[in-house]
Amino acid sequence: MKAKILAAVAAGVMSVTAFSAALAKDLNVGTHPVFAPFEYMDTKTNQYKGFDIDMIREIAKRNGYKVKFHNMGFDGLIPALLTGSIDIAVAGMTITEARKQKVDFCDPYYQAGQSLMVRAESKNVYKDAKSLEGRTIAVQIGTTGADFAKTIKGANIKAFNTSADAFLDLKMKGSDAVITDRPVIGYFVVSNPRAAKGLVQQPIVLDDEWFGFPVKKGNTKLLNEVNAALKAMKEDGTYAKLHKKWFGN
């Protein structure tokens, strides 16, 4: 009899779990998975991975959503939010005044900043923005690194779809430096030592930036849910755990 009761209870729990899963609403998440360690595609498992990916999955779970990822170009994320094709974007996106005119950002969740990658033989030549005046700079299209490069006097800017392509161009001497987010350069050096051989990250931080997840302007319900989850994750240690997983500190 006891075994039958336990079996019935277990079946009931499974039914409730299945019912809850069936009721879970889709959270359509736009991402450009070429920005490790924030978001990238694991070529072995064909699964989305990264700090942002883990963050949005946890946020969705806490709010009863089922994540549905949409792979798209970085410069297509905000237009997709405006048309309602996606609900939120996770792509290491810097909060800027220009972007805030179009979308609403959640509370800042990561402090970043633009930095320089140069060839080893040029490390004493290209040390800061001033030294890059009139030089060729590789950037990832649509990023704040690309925006920063445009402010450098006389710079010839080469835009690529991914930061990895920009690093390759630098290595092949097609450009003099790459400007992109500091943690992206650091992760590339650590995770791709062969590709990064002969390249050096300069210690300078060109500006101070914060990343945020954007939603369609006026979507206060989702914005409040995301902010509440972020706050709770920081308070209960989940954020620190994920940060250590991807950045080691």
Side-chain angles (χ1 to χ4, degrees):
M1 178 63 72
K2 185 177 181 180
K4 290 183 178 180
I5 293 174
L6 290 174
V9 171
V13 171
M14 291 176 65
S15 297
V16 170
T17 302
F19 182 68
S20 298
L23 288 179
K25 301 163 289 183
D26 282 344
L27 181 66
N28 290 292
V29 178
T31 189
H32 186 45
V34 294
F35 197 56
F38 292 92
E39 45 272 325
Y40 66 96
M41 187 70 75
D42 188 321
T43 55
K44 293 181 180 179
T45 63
N46 202 35
Q47 296 292 315
Y48 292 96
K49 289 189 175 181
F51 179 66
D52 283 354
I53 302 301
D54 283 353
M55 287 285 289
I56 197 60
R57 281 179 170 145
E58 181 65 23
I59 289 169
K61 183 176 73 173
R62 294 182 182 222
N63 286 289
Y65 289 110
K66 181 173 63 176
V67 174
K68 185 176 181 181
F69 287 110
H70 299 264
N71 188 337
M72 57 184 64
F74 186 85
D75 55 347
L77 291 169
I78 288 181
L81 285 169
L82 298 180
T83 61
S85 300
I86 59 174
D87 301 308
I88 191 168
V90 296
M93 188 176 289
T94 302
I95 301 171
T96 68
E97 290 303 317
R99 288 171 178 162
K100 285 165 66 176
Q101 297 300 313
K102 299 178 180 179
V103 296
D104 289 333
F105 279 94
C106 73
D107 294 335
Y109 70 91
Y110 187 88
Q111 186 175 20
Q114 299 301 313
S115 190
L116 295 177
M117 175 81 97
V118 300
R119 289 186 298 279
E121 68 265 23
S122 303
K123 67 179 181 179
N124 294 322
V125 179
Y126 306 122
K127 298 180 179 181
D128 51 25
K130 180 70 176 177
S131 63
L132 288 171
E133 291 182 356
R135 310 309 302 177
T136 300
I137 303 170
V139 299
Q140 182 181 347
I141 190 170
T143 63
T144 49
D147 292 338
F148 187 91
K150 293 175 184 176
T151 69
I152 298 176
K153 184 178 179 180
N156 173 38
I157 300 169
K158 298 177 70 174
F160 296 88
N161 286 326
T162 71
S163 56
D165 289 339
F167 293 138
L168 177 61
D169 185 73
L170 172 65
K171 188 167 185 175
M172 299 301 292
K173 299 186 177 181
S175 50
D176 299 302
V178 172
I179 295 181
T180 191
D181 292 286
R182 176 175 49 85
V184 172
I185 295 177
Y187 183 80
F188 177 78
V189 171
V190 172
S191 61
N192 298 280
R194 181 177 296 181
K197 186 176 181 180
L199 303 180
V200 175
Q201 179 178 11
Q202 296 289 39
I204 188 173
V205 177
L206 300 172
D207 63 358
D208 187 33
E209 298 180 349
W210 285 91
F211 288 169
F213 299 135
V215 303
K216 187 174 184 178
K217 189 168 281 292
N219 190 351
T220 54
K221 178 179 181 296
L222 179 57
L223 194 65
N224 290 338
E225 289 172 339
V226 172
N227 284 336
L230 281 173
K231 184 175 183 293
M233 289 165 66
K234 290 178 179 179
E235 291 175 348
D236 65 22
T238 302
Y239 179 90
K241 182 179 179 181
L242 292 178
H243 192 281
K244 184 175 182 179
K245 172 184 176 181
W246 291 104
F247 304 106
N249 52 50

